[in-house]
Amino acid sequence: MAPQRFHEQFHHIQRSLPDVPLTMGPDDSAGFLYEKGVVLVRDGEEARFVEDAVRTHFTETRGLVPDHVRRVGPQAGRTGVTRIRVGDPAEGEDTVPHALRAVREAEERQGRRLAGRNHVVHIAVNACPGDEPVPVSRTETANPGAAEGSYDPATAVGVLVVDTGLVHDHRSYPLLSHTTGDAQLTETDGDGLLHQYVGHGTFIAGILAAVAPNTDITVRGTLNDAGAVLESEFGGLLFEAVDRDGWPDILSLSAGTPSTDPGGLIGLDAFMRELREQRTLLVAAAGNNGSDTPFWPAAYAALPEYADCVLSVGALRGDGESGACFTNHGPWVRVHAPGERLTSALTGFTTPVPYVYQHSTYDSCRFGVADYPCTCQYPRHTGVLSEGRESTGAKPDQVMFDGLAQWSGTSFATPVAAGLVAARMTAYRERDPRAAGAALLAAATDRAEVRGAHVPALRPPTWRPVPAGIPALPA
């Protein structure tokens, strides 16, 4: 992945978490973000072992006094994890890699990860954005379009969306008339400009409602703060969401983080174990890094103990024939669905709202794989965060949103797949979402080419392929 947009987002997220020293890893590839100078462990005996092992290693090899290695709050809680400080974040060198190496031998003996980085979990267009939204005319219609069927509260499938909250006037969009949940905390800045990623949860809910009309959709604003949260906090926030609303039929999650840890995220251990004992199907975005590095929690779908309760979703490009250039890929991605230039509600339909682009487009596909005008390149615009913009005198482009938008990312392929599971539950009067998801995949005969592999593809009947021409940026 080209680093430009990732680095721009790193600085954006750092501003939203001003008290957390962040860094990028695992090396110059800048695959993910994590808390500098801290490792995440399970509380109890494992925490004590890791703390002692790291303290001994650093005392003997790096000359640090034992007090430099200690637990830092908040401690444990329902998620069963705690943070251990392994160095001074103000130092130039990050000590986390050294700490992880100190416990590697013990991990190999026990066959499980004892310590890991405290990753930044982010919405799947945040640190790895597919693109930014593009306004479309009010004369346009949703894509996927509204499926046949009606809403019946007695039989509706319960879907919980954990994301950014709903825009204040979302119910003015007919498909979202009975959607409930949290409000987006702050929609605009002091100049009245729409904040980045506002409308993300609303856009997702609109796709779900279009694909599966007989759904009770609840949107929780768990990721309202720039769409980013530390792994150490994320499990607890997921618990809060399901405790508040009850375990849903389907949990739609367009967030996660890349990680090379093969067993998943330590911070999600407790939540994932409880999920396994429920009937809920987690439908999770595969991420937009254009990489085969597992993106968690979507990658839990490849672990045998979670295969029936997690559905990982990658994105197809606009014509639906192959993978979008930005989509993550690999055997851990169970299915791909349309995720490029979908059309849904971004804002309500009451007052037009201006937006200034944050990223600039590229001269060519930033992943080096697209042979068509992909979202890396078009529509052309200049963004505020782009390095060197001021020296060239280029002004950032501004557009107006007054309802619908086109947007791209595995964030939006995810509600397409979640909606198709819900629609199948209604059509077959199926009350088990995991059985419905398995049946949907078993019946999927369509295939798409993604990085040389032919993979299962889900294409809703109401979805319209988007021609591969060059779209114009609205005036």
Side-chain angles (χ1 to χ4, degrees):
M1 176 181 181
Q4 175 184 328
R5 194 166 293 186
F6 186 89
H7 280 256
E8 291 168 3
Q9 281 302 298
F10 170 77
H11 295 299
H12 178 70
I13 292 173
Q14 181 67 86
R15 287 194 296 271
S16 73
L17 299 171
D19 299 325
V20 181
L22 299 180
T23 189
M24 293 178 282
D27 47 40
D28 290 341
S29 64
F32 48 76
L33 310 177
Y34 64 96
E35 184 179 13
K36 187 178 181 181
V38 167
V39 297
L40 195 62
V41 299
R42 300 172 190 85
D43 199 37
E45 288 297 326
E46 290 189 8
R48 284 187 286 274
F49 174 85
V50 170
E51 191 174 9
D52 290 343
V54 173
R55 181 181 290 115
T56 299
H57 174 77
F58 279 13
T59 301
E60 294 177 349
T61 65
R62 300 180 66 80
L64 296 177
V65 296
D67 282 349
H68 278 113
V69 180
R70 63 181 185 275
R71 302 187 200 191
V72 290
Q75 302 296 324
R78 186 174 177 185
T79 60
V81 298
T82 191
R83 295 158 58 239
I84 295 179
R85 180 182 173 185
V86 295
D88 184 354
E91 295 178 353
E93 180 187 19
D94 178 40
T95 53
V96 167
H98 300 285
L100 296 179
R101 283 196 291 272
V103 296
R104 183 173 298 166
E105 183 177 342
E107 290 176 337
E108 291 175 352
R109 289 197 303 269
Q110 295 197 18
R112 68 179 295 183
R113 195 71 154 166
L114 299 179
R117 292 173 172 85
N118 192 15
H119 299 88
V120 175
V121 178
H122 49 79
I123 56 178
V125 296
N126 199 314
C128 52
D131 72 345
E132 293 176 84
V134 178
V136 299
S137 168
R138 289 195 181 195
T139 60
E140 295 286 331
T141 57
N143 187 23
E148 293 183 1
S150 58
Y151 170 66
D152 174 13
T155 62
V157 177
V159 183
L160 174 61
V161 176
V162 174
D163 207 89
T164 64
L166 293 161
V167 295
H168 72 282
D169 51 355
H170 69 275
R171 288 188 174 173
S172 61
Y173 182 55
L175 291 177
L176 298 180
S177 60
H178 62 271
T179 298
T180 60
D182 299 329
Q184 175 74 43
L185 294 181
T186 306
E187 296 183 9
T188 56
D189 63 15
D191 296 322
L193 298 171
L194 200 67
H195 283 303
Q196 194 175 16
Y197 304 117
V198 167
H200 192 262
T202 304
F203 196 95
I204 287 170
I207 292 172
L208 269 164
V211 176
N214 192 31
T215 45
D216 271 324
I217 302 171
T218 302
V219 179
R220 290 294 166 215
T222 304
L223 298 169
N224 264 336
D225 188 5
V229 66
L230 287 173
E231 177 187 335
S232 55
E233 301 173 6
F234 189 52
L237 293 172
L238 290 176
F239 273 129
E240 287 180 14
V242 296
D243 287 347
R244 182 175 178 181
D245 300 296
W247 286 90
D249 294 312
I250 299 170
L251 172 55
S252 180
L253 180 62
S254 293
T257 177
S259 175
T260 55
D261 294 348
L265 304 180
I266 290 175
L268 285 187
D269 270 359
F271 180 82
M272 294 304 297
R273 288 197 303 270
E274 190 160 332
L275 169 72
R276 192 171 56 199
E277 302 305 315
Q278 304 295 327
R279 58 188 296 276
T280 298
L281 176 67
L282 170 61
V283 184
N288 306 325
N289 302 83
S291 167
D292 61 359
T293 299
F295 188 84
W296 305 88
Y300 281 100
L303 303 184
E305 61 268 40
Y306 295 108
D308 67 332
C309 58
V310 180
L311 177 60
S312 49
V313 187
L316 298 176
R317 73 185 215 179
D319 62 9
E321 295 302 314
S322 60
C325 65
F326 52 78
T327 190
N328 285 343
H329 51 91
W332 55 273
V333 183
R334 299 284 300 280
V335 75
H336 288 70
E340 185 179 66
R341 294 181 177 134
L342 300 185
T343 302
S344 183
L346 181 79
T347 63
F349 284 73
T350 55
T351 305
V353 186
Y355 176 75
V356 174
Y357 281 98
Q358 302 298 298
H359 304 288
S360 298
T361 45
Y362 290 67
D363 293 332
S364 60
C365 175
R366 69 182 186 273
F367 303 102
V369 298
D371 57 359
Y372 70 102
C374 63
T375 57
C376 302
Q377 308 166 71
Y378 300 101
R380 305 291 297 175
H381 51 255
T382 298
V384 172
L385 300 177
S386 297
E387 296 179 4
R389 177 185 60 81
E390 294 182 358
S391 64
T392 64
K395 294 183 178 180
D397 288 301
Q398 178 174 313
V399 292
M400 296 293 291
F401 286 106
D402 62 353
L404 295 177
Q406 277 190 352
W407 213 345
S408 303
T410 59
S411 278
F412 314 121
T414 297
V416 171
L420 287 172
V421 174
R424 186 177 181 93
M425 291 178 68
T426 295
Y428 290 87
R429 299 182 181 179
E430 173 65 71
R431 301 314 304 167
D432 183 345
R434 296 179 183 178
L440 181 68
L441 289 185
T445 58
D446 286 353
R447 292 291 185 271
E449 191 276 327
V450 179
R451 301 295 179 99
H454 292 277
V455 299
L458 298 174
R459 301 178 180 91
T462 59
W463 169 75
R464 305 181 303 278
V466 178
I470 300 176
L473 184 65

